[in-house]
Amino acid sequence: MPCDLMLIAYDGSENARRAVEYAGRFLAANRAVVLTAWEPMVRQAARLSGLSGVMQPEWVTDDEIEDVALVDARNINAEGVRLAKLAGLNAEPRTAECTTTIWNAIVEIADELNVDIIVAGTRGATGIRALMHSSVADAVLKHCHRPVLMVPPGREPAEKQA
């Protein structure tokens, strides 16, 4: 029996593509919202300049020019919707500007839509790498209160023995 609504977190990465494929293979839903969360370039630049420790001039956005990060997010999202439809899902687009973190935007949209399940790809990092760079999927799993399908990265093909 299909669920009513699934949310697929899609960032255009190979792991996200794999998650869409597995959602189509293993899950049935009446609707699938493909979500791409994005951060405005002004905020990205401010965060990066803060990390550098160098004082940067104040950025002023031009309301007449669309944020390049939003344009990129829309293109990435359109690709995700196309892949979801190819996987047999009744997919619809959604982008969300994140004001704090990507994982928080995903959890907030999942709560707003009251989705039955969240689908996300993960980098599959382990050890010290996982401690230093936690994944968005891991944070979603830890902070949301609904089922999550986490799709790990695929294995690298084994090298052929000569």
Side-chain angles (χ1 to χ4, degrees):
M1 183 165 165
C3 66
D4 185 46
L5 181 60
M6 90 171 62
L7 179 73
I8 302 172
Y10 189 79
D11 65 2
S13 67
E14 187 58 41
N15 295 334
R17 287 184 195 94
R18 186 172 157 85
V20 171
E21 175 190 336
Y22 275 81
R25 188 183 306 174
F26 294 119
L27 300 175
N30 295 327
R31 293 173 49 218
V33 173
V34 178
L35 173 68
T36 302
W38 64 283
E39 182 179 34
M41 287 303 292
V42 171
R43 208 171 303 130
Q44 290 180 43
R47 183 172 28 83
L48 291 174
S49 67
L51 291 173
S52 71
V54 176
M55 191 72 155
Q56 300 292 323
E58 186 174 325
W59 285 69
V60 179
T61 61
D62 185 349
D63 292 335
E64 310 240 340
I65 299 175
E66 195 165 33
D67 191 313
V68 69
L70 174 57
V71 173
D72 193 39
R74 286 180 179 151
N75 291 334
I76 289 168
N77 189 258
E79 175 192 57
V81 169
R82 182 183 63 77
L83 292 173
K85 287 180 178 180
L86 287 172
L89 298 169
N90 182 20
E92 58 190 72
R94 176 83 184 251
T95 57
E97 178 182 337
C98 69
T99 56
T100 55
T101 60
I102 297 292
W103 69 259
N104 193 52
I106 294 167
V107 170
E108 284 178 355
I109 296 298
D111 288 344
E112 174 190 317
L113 297 174
N114 194 27
V115 302
D116 298 304
I117 189 167
I118 299 171
V119 178
T122 183
R123 293 189 316 254
T126 59
I128 192 76
R129 190 174 189 194
L131 289 173
M132 299 300 289
H133 304 285
S134 65
S135 84
V136 170
D138 289 338
V140 167
L141 182 64
K142 290 176 185 172
H143 293 92
C144 80
H145 303 285
R146 55 188 77 242
V148 178
L149 172 62
M150 290 179 56
V151 179
R155 287 188 173 174
E156 293 292 323
E159 291 185 29
K160 293 182 180 179
Q161 299 293 326

